[in-house]
């Protein structure tokens, strides 16, 4: 979502940090470019003016221009103002009210209200252990109520039985009553939308609000809408009174201006962001983390959280046992590739690592992308159990059969086997030091750089951290120099960890823990 803005701001601010001293004219010229970059990213004009005025006021002071590193001081000011624009602190859905807590979902047709309703219900059920009831109040769109019922079946969440002919306000009253009788903690009302804002829609929303007395009114907005989403938020807030925003399709290729503008214009917090189509792809909105990503500083906390969610503890323990005897077969390799895909692939992981966002293009140019992982998993899946356990069996005739089954060729199979041999040698050399595979080693190595119990054992502690500890970790990362825009974290020497990925050099021992075998992607100590 923010890649274009990230590239523009990164090049502008890197120009400042490379200078020994700054004049007022240098700051003014840089802010002119920042202003242009924000406008091109579809940020509302009034928000851009306010942002650049605040940055200029702080950046032309004597304390900045006479600082030891004035360029970095300006970067810090821009970062702090971005955080302020996005809302300073993340705000979660408020469930502190008498049960059942009523959450009302509003927005235009096609913004993703029904899907988001299902995602929030699943999140509250799985993570917060709440008993949730979903109810569709959309009597206009064909099969809207059936769609929500199907999402309920898919996620295992209760839905209000459909009664034909009832009005939205009657359905809302029945949903609240059913939630009380059924002992539900939360009831989510999925209201109807229109293709545009009109008076009947606003009157209907007001009637539902009066009847159901919702504790939260969440406006669901498509982040690809651009500046029009800001007008939408303002109108809904004035007529209905929203308590928060949910931005959908944050994984798209929009410019990100809506996300930067809506909080500043409405004063209402962005509570959640949709990052994909699947039911689990809904994240809390953390302003500081988003600001870090926009300025190319990475997002270590989100990376740790993703690893904690996606690394299977039982599989990790089983792999640790195998590694103690130096064994690493193609089944293990497939598991590691699958873990990386769950975490968003190499592109997603690199985007969260400090100073590594700019490496995604280089990786793509070298042929290292998620399609490569898919091909490698397809090759392994086309093998027999015996072949996966003992790759030495793979002679020419077997490779020919596997190539036909996976839609690849012998050269790709040979590359995969070479990669596996390199990793197996690394595991053997590590012996019993491994604790859970590549992804865990990467996180452990990163923790080690910040003095958080490094080496290969860093991940278990990180996985059990509470949100406050994770936020403290982010600050420690910045203090350790891992937040410098455009720069590789110092001392991570080529990122050790995943050896021999095709076309990117041979196997290396992990050393610092991390992803061995991506030489040349970082600065060596």
């Amino acid at each position: 979502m923010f890649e274009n803005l990230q590239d523009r701001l990164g090049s502008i601010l890197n120009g400042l940090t490379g200078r020994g001293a700054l004049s007022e004219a240098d700051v003014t010229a840089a802010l002119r470019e920042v202003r242009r970059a924000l406008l091109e990213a579809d940020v509302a004009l009034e928000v851009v003016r306010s942002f650049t005025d605040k940055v200029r006021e702080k950046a032309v002071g004597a304390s900045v221009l006479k600082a030891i590193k004035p360029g970095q001081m300006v970067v810090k000011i821009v970062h702090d103002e971005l955080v302020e624009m996005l809302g300073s602190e993340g705000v979660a859905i408020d469930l502190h009210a008498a049960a059942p807590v009523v959450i009302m979902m509003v927005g235009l047709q096609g913004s993703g209200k029904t899907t988001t309703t299902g995602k929030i219900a699943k999140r509250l059920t799985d993570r917060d252990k709440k008993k949730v009831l979903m109810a569709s109040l959309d009597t206009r769109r064909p099969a809207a109520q059936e769609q929500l019922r199907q999402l309920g079946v898919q996620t295992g969440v209760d839905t209000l039985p459909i009664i034909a002919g009832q009005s939205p306000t009657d359905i809302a009253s029945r949903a609240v009553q059913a939630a009380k009788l059924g002992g539900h903690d939360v009831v989510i009302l999925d209201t109807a939308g229109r293709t545009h804002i009109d008076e009947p829609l606003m009157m209907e929303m007001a009637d539902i609000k009066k009847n159901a007395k919702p504790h939260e009114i969440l406006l669901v907005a498509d982040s690809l809408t651009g500046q029009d989403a800001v007008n939408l938020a303002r109108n809904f807030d004035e007529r209905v009174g929203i308590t928060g925003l949910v931005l959908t399709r944050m994984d798209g290729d929009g410019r990100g201006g809506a996300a930067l503008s809506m909080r500043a214009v409405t004063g209402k917090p962005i509570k959640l962001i949709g990052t994909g189509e699947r039911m689990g792809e809904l994240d809390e909105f953390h302003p500081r983390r988003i600001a870090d990503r926009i300025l190319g500083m990475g997002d270590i906390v989100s990376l740790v959280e993703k690893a904690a969610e996606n690394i299977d503890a039982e599989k990790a323990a089983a792999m640790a046992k195998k590694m103690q005897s130096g064994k690493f077969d193609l089944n293990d390799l497939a598991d590691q590739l699958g873990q990386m895909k769950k975490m968003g692939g190499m592109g997603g992981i690199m985007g969260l690592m400090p100073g590594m966002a700019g490496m995604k293009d280089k990786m793509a140019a070298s042929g290292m992308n998620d399609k490569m992982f898919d091909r490698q998993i397809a090759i392994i899946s086309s093998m027999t159990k015996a072949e996966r356990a003992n790759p030495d069996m793979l002679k020419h005739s077997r490779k020919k059969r596997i190539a036909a089954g996976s839609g690849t060729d012998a050269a790709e199979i040979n590359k995969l086997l070479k990669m596996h041999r390199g990793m197996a040698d690394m595991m053997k050399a590590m012996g019993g030091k491994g604790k859970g595979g590549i992804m865990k080693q990467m996180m452990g190595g990163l923790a080690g750089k910040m003095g958080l119990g490094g080496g290969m054992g860093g991940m278990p502690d990180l996985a059990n951290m509470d949100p406050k500890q994770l936020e403290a970790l982010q600050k420690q990362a910045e203090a350790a120099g891992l937040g410098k825009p455009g720069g590789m974290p110092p001392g991570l020497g080529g990122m050790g960890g995943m050896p021999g990925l095709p076309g990117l050099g041979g196997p290396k021992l992990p050393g610092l823990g991390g992803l061995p075998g991506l030489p040349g992607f970082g600065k060596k100590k």
Side-chain angles (χ1 to χ4, degrees):
M1 171 62 71
F2 297 109
E3 283 182 5
N4 291 336
L5 183 60
Q6 180 182 318
D7 291 342
R8 286 291 305 276
L9 290 182
S11 61
I12 295 164
L13 297 175
N14 280 342
L16 290 180
T17 54
R19 306 279 287 277
L22 293 178
S23 66
E24 189 171 327
D26 292 331
V27 174
T28 302
L31 283 179
R32 192 181 303 119
E33 290 301 312
V34 168
R35 175 190 176 97
R36 189 173 295 154
L38 291 172
L39 287 172
E40 286 178 5
D42 240 351
V43 181
L45 179 60
E46 60 191 285
V47 177
V48 176
R49 280 180 182 153
S50 171
F51 177 82
T52 50
D53 287 348
K54 287 177 183 175
V55 172
R56 183 181 290 107
E57 187 180 327
K58 295 177 182 177
V60 298
S63 59
V64 172
L65 299 180
K66 293 180 181 177
I68 297 171
K69 293 183 178 177
Q72 290 187 2
M73 286 290 287
V74 173
V75 172
K76 183 183 185 305
I77 290 167
V78 171
H79 176 269
D80 291 347
E81 287 303 323
L82 265 178
V83 173
E84 187 65 28
M85 186 201 298
L86 291 166
S88 297
E89 296 296 329
V91 180
I93 290 176
D94 183 12
L95 300 176
H96 298 99
V101 178
V102 181
I103 300 173
M104 180 175 164
M105 311 292 288
V106 300
L108 293 185
Q109 195 171 327
S111 60
K113 282 195 307 300
T114 303
T115 304
T116 303
T117 298
K119 287 181 178 182
I120 293 174
K122 177 177 169 56
R123 183 184 183 86
L124 294 177
T125 302
D126 295 349
R127 199 191 69 165
D128 299 318
K129 309 303 178 192
K130 300 292 184 183
K131 188 178 180 184
V132 182
L133 175 68
M134 299 189 292
S136 174
L137 278 58
D138 190 348
T139 57
R140 297 173 182 272
R141 183 166 61 90
Q145 292 178 307
E146 178 60 21
Q147 182 190 353
L148 191 70
R149 191 189 72 79
Q150 290 291 345
L151 286 175
V153 172
Q154 184 182 332
T155 56
V157 176
D158 295 338
T159 54
L160 187 73
I162 301 167
I163 297 178
Q166 277 198 318
S167 69
T169 49
D170 290 341
I171 297 171
S173 300
R174 182 162 62 92
V176 174
Q177 187 62 29
K180 286 178 182 174
L181 295 173
H184 291 85
D185 303 303
V186 180
V187 56
I188 307 178
L189 305 178
D190 176 26
T191 66
R194 304 282 196 283
T195 53
H196 62 280
I197 293 172
D198 59 15
E199 191 58 29
L201 170 67
M202 289 305 180
M203 288 177 66
E204 183 179 295
M205 296 300 109
D207 286 344
I208 293 168
K209 179 182 177 182
K210 186 178 176 182
N211 265 29
K213 297 179 176 58
H215 184 63
E216 286 267 22
I217 301 176
L218 301 179
L219 171 64
V220 181
D222 187 337
S223 56
L224 303 185
T225 310
Q227 287 210 26
D228 198 44
V230 179
N231 299 326
L232 165 77
R234 187 185 274 127
N235 284 329
F236 265 101
D237 190 35
E238 287 171 356
R239 293 297 304 273
V240 184
I242 60 174
T243 59
L245 301 152
V246 181
L247 292 182
T248 58
R249 295 210 277 184
M250 285 291 285
D251 56 325
D253 57 359
R255 301 179 206 173
L260 295 177
S261 305
M262 290 172 84
R263 167 63 175 80
V265 169
T266 63
K268 298 298 190 291
I270 300 170
K271 297 200 171 187
L272 296 163
I273 51 175
T275 56
E277 291 295 319
R278 289 191 288 267
M279 284 291 106
E281 292 177 326
L282 184 75
D283 295 334
E284 285 180 359
F285 184 83
H286 296 279
R288 185 170 295 279
R289 300 188 198 179
I290 296 293
D292 286 350
R293 284 192 224 179
I294 291 172
L295 294 182
M297 298 177 182
D299 185 354
I300 293 171
V301 180
S302 292
L303 185 56
V304 170
E305 287 176 348
K306 274 194 174 187
E309 285 172 14
N310 290 291
I311 292 173
D312 188 315
E314 289 182 12
K315 281 188 179 180
M319 180 166 282
K321 279 187 181 179
K322 286 185 77 171
M323 285 169 62
Q324 284 173 1
S325 59
K327 290 179 182 175
F328 184 81
D329 61 25
L330 288 168
N331 288 313
D332 301 322
L333 176 57
D335 284 342
Q336 296 298 305
L337 294 172
Q339 276 185 15
M340 294 189 76
K341 278 196 67 181
K342 280 184 187 175
M343 286 183 64
M346 282 304 296
I349 294 167
M350 289 295 181
L352 296 176
M353 291 191 73
M356 294 302 294
M359 294 299 136
K360 290 194 279 188
D361 292 339
K362 292 182 183 178
M363 289 162 52
S366 69
M368 183 181 166
N369 53 35
D370 293 344
K371 287 184 180 176
M372 181 193 78
F373 289 159
D374 290 336
R375 287 197 299 273
Q376 291 174 336
I377 291 170
I379 290 169
I380 296 171
S381 300
S382 298
M383 298 177 187
T384 64
K385 285 184 180 179
E387 288 166 346
R388 289 197 289 267
N390 184 15
D392 293 335
M393 294 172 61
L394 296 174
K395 305 304 177 190
H396 178 71
S397 59
R398 290 178 183 264
K399 287 179 185 176
K400 199 171 174 183
R401 188 201 79 240
I402 293 164
S406 59
T408 56
D409 55 34
E412 286 191 88
I413 295 171
N414 288 334
K415 279 183 186 177
L416 176 70
L417 293 175
K418 185 178 178 182
M419 172 181 160
H420 169 260
R421 276 196 299 275
M423 293 179 77
D425 290 344
M426 179 187 77
M427 299 300 182
K428 199 172 287 184
M430 284 165 58
K433 294 179 185 175
K435 293 284 190 296
I438 291 163
M439 293 314 306
K440 219 163 208 184
Q441 293 161 33
M442 180 178 80
M443 301 312 299
L446 204 53
K449 297 308 290 177
M450 290 176 277
L452 292 169
M456 304 301 153
M459 185 59 203
D461 294 329
L462 291 171
N464 292 318
M465 281 184 175
D466 61 38
K468 285 185 180 177
Q469 288 174 307
L470 287 167
E471 294 294 348
L473 163 60
Q474 180 82 34
K475 288 176 184 172
Q476 281 184 270
E478 289 167 10
L482 290 171
K484 184 181 176 186
M488 178 65 194
L492 278 183
M495 281 191 64
M498 223 177 138
L501 285 170
L504 290 170
K508 286 190 174 185
L509 291 178
L512 296 172
L515 275 165
L518 298 178
F521 272 9
K523 297 172 185 173
K524 300 212 176 192
K525 244 182 178 177

